[in-house]
Each structure stands twice: as C-alpha cells, then as structure tokens.
Amino acid sequence: EVLAAKISGVVCTLSRKIGDQDKLFGSVTSKDIESKLREDGIEIDRKWIELDEPIKSLGEFPVKVKMPGGVAAEIKVVVTAE
C-alpha cells in the first residue's frame, strides 16, 4: 500500500519518434514504462502494469498498476514527439 501511494498520480513521460499523422514508429509497451519508472527511482514489476495493448499514438493515457495483495494504483503515461 505504501508503494501504491507512492506511484499513485505519477506521470511517466516518454518521447518517441513519429511519422505521418502523428503515428509512432513502434509503440510504447509495459517494458518501456517499467524502464522509465526505474530511471525515476520507482521499482515495480512489469507484470503489474496493465496495458491491454501497446500505445501507438501521442497523448496521455491512464494505466493501471496492480500489485500483489489486490492493491492497485493508476499512473499517467504521456507520450510526446521526440
């Protein structure tokens, strides 16, 4: 629950190259989110990140993080143009 309180409301900003019509080259996956959070000093398991499908466009996306013990939190993933 302490970790949930720590990550609740966290904004994870990732920059990606874009092509025509603001489409990303590639996509943002739970592994990318885990890596960025780790850089920011937040250690979570990639399996806890609930991403139905990879993010393929620019914008803000709410992402649920479900931790063991039924504890959940929500972070905001922001994808910007590089």
Side-chain angles (χ1 to χ4, degrees):
E1 290 185 14
V2 172
L3 182 59
K6 182 180 177 182
I7 68 171
S8 239
V10 164
V11 177
C12 177
T13 304
L14 298 156
S15 294
R16 292 291 183 262
K17 291 185 180 178
I18 58 168
D20 294 337
Q21 301 167 353
D22 289 343
K23 292 287 184 186
L24 299 185
F25 283 121
S27 59
V28 173
T29 65
S30 58
K31 189 172 184 177
D32 297 321
I33 297 168
E34 176 199 29
S35 296
K36 178 62 175 158
L37 290 174
R38 184 166 283 136
E39 283 176 26
D40 295 343
I42 299 170
E43 294 284 330
I44 64 167
D45 192 317
R46 173 170 51 118
K47 296 177 200 127
W48 299 350
I49 300 169
E50 292 196 340
L51 201 57
D52 294 333
E53 55 187 44
I55 298 170
K56 297 182 180 183
S57 59
L58 299 177
E60 294 183 6
F61 305 89
V63 176
K64 286 199 187 310
V65 178
K66 276 206 172 156
M67 292 160 262
V71 178
E74 189 171 277
I75 62 172
K76 185 189 301 183
V77 176
V78 179
V79 183
T80 60
E82 200 169 75

